[in-house]
Amino acid sequence: MPARNRIPLPIGTQLGVFEVVSLPFPLLVPGRSGQSQTRNRYFVRLRCTGPDCEWEDDVREDDLERRKTAACGFCYISLDVDPEARIHVERVWKGRPQTYDRYRYHGKSYDRLHRIWANMRERCSNPTSEKWKRYGGRGITVDPGWENFRAFEAWALENGYADGLTIDRINNDRGYEPGNCRWVTDLENLLNRARYLPTPLHEALEARAAVDDVDTYSVIRVALEALRAEREQIS
């Protein structure tokens, strides 16, 4: 098999809280003839840059992108770390007693706001996401400053975030950035999306709303409820 075209990361490259300390190298495994053979997998040695952290290991090259936002599993330092949030640790590791202060995660991985942040980044950066075509696939991106959850959380709390509200882009053709986002109800979000429907569909929606003497949201809600009931009868 021909060698892949490779663009190795220079030694010293920073990947979040990690630093590259070697060029990529292949995994060698014993072949049938007893000699080592190269698999089409490459590794890079990384080390944690946390104070007094001893973690250093070989990481698969296809896992390096995730490491840009990952926390160190040894000292728990991360891009989202609170420098004042430390936990005193006394333990025995690999036969050696250790005493040190490790960092603590932000502890909000299961919060609603963290899910909103994670889903926002997923649909804009992951081509396998179901919503990729409507977001990342057409150039919608997330502001680089919001790659850090702490920064996104601070903006959200300062700009009206509350349970029950969703993030909405004011200009549907621009990305997720502080000047283009707001917190709205589901109804406001739905009406904002309706402005970008194809003209014939939007006109039909408004015409039906006028006939029924309701708003366009009610027309959509009734249609969805009817569709759900029809599917339940079929199943």
Side-chain angles (χ1 to χ4, degrees):
M1 178 181 297
R4 293 184 298 169
N5 294 327
R6 312 191 48 71
I7 305 178
L9 293 174
I11 294 176
T13 299
Q14 291 293 131
L15 300 176
V17 298
F18 303 100
E19 180 183 31
V20 175
V21 295
S22 77
L23 295 177
F25 54 89
L27 173 67
L28 300 179
V29 297
R32 293 182 179 179
S33 63
Q35 298 179 345
S36 294
Q37 296 181 348
T38 301
R39 282 185 178 175
N40 198 28
R41 291 180 180 174
Y42 285 76
F43 288 73
V44 172
R45 177 158 283 264
L46 299 183
R47 74 172 183 86
C48 176
T49 58
D52 302 320
C53 183
E54 300 180 5
W55 184 88
E56 184 173 316
D57 204 352
D58 299 329
V59 176
R60 277 182 53 164
E61 196 177 40
D62 55 6
D63 189 42
L64 296 181
E65 186 66 26
R66 184 186 67 82
R67 295 281 173 166
K68 292 180 180 179
T69 56
C72 174
F74 182 82
C75 72
Y76 294 87
I77 190 173
S78 74
L79 294 176
D80 299 329
V81 75
D82 179 356
E84 302 301 323
R86 296 190 174 198
I87 300 174
H88 185 70
V89 177
E90 295 182 4
R91 69 171 187 175
V92 176
W93 185 71
K94 293 187 176 180
R96 291 185 303 162
Q98 291 186 330
T99 301
Y100 60 92
D101 292 335
R102 71 166 174 79
Y103 293 95
R104 181 171 58 219
Y105 287 114
H106 51 65
K108 298 187 177 181
S109 298
Y110 297 99
D111 286 3
R112 180 175 184 271
L113 184 57
H114 191 275
R115 291 198 301 272
I116 292 173
W117 173 77
N119 291 336
M120 173 184 68
R121 296 171 65 245
E122 171 77 7
R123 57 181 173 263
C124 291
S125 61
N126 184 3
T128 64
S129 170
E130 294 180 358
K131 299 181 179 180
W132 163 260
K133 290 184 179 180
R134 292 189 286 118
Y135 291 90
R138 68 182 189 91
I140 302 301
T141 60
V142 176
D143 187 275
W146 283 359
E147 289 298 322
N148 184 310
F149 172 69
R150 286 288 194 185
F152 176 76
E153 178 188 40
W155 170 86
L157 298 178
E158 291 173 0
N159 288 271
Y161 169 75
D163 287 343
L165 299 182
T166 60
I167 192 167
D168 176 61
R169 285 174 296 121
I170 300 171
N171 184 336
N172 202 42
D173 294 321
R174 287 173 53 190
Y176 288 96
E177 54 194 61
N180 191 46
C181 289
R182 59 187 175 182
W183 296 101
V184 299
T185 63
D186 287 339
L187 172 57
E188 291 171 325
N189 195 12
L190 189 57
L191 294 178
N192 184 44
R193 293 180 186 180
R195 298 205 312 268
Y196 300 95
L197 291 173
T199 300
L201 182 56
H202 196 182
E203 291 177 349
L205 181 62
E206 290 183 331
R208 180 56 186 264
V211 171
D212 295 344
D213 193 23
V214 295
D215 56 36
T216 53
Y217 173 74
S218 297
V219 176
I220 296 174
R221 179 176 53 78
V222 171
L224 291 175
E225 290 175 351
L227 177 61
R228 185 180 301 111
E230 180 180 348
R231 288 180 174 174
E232 289 176 353
Q233 290 178 355
I234 294 175
S235 59

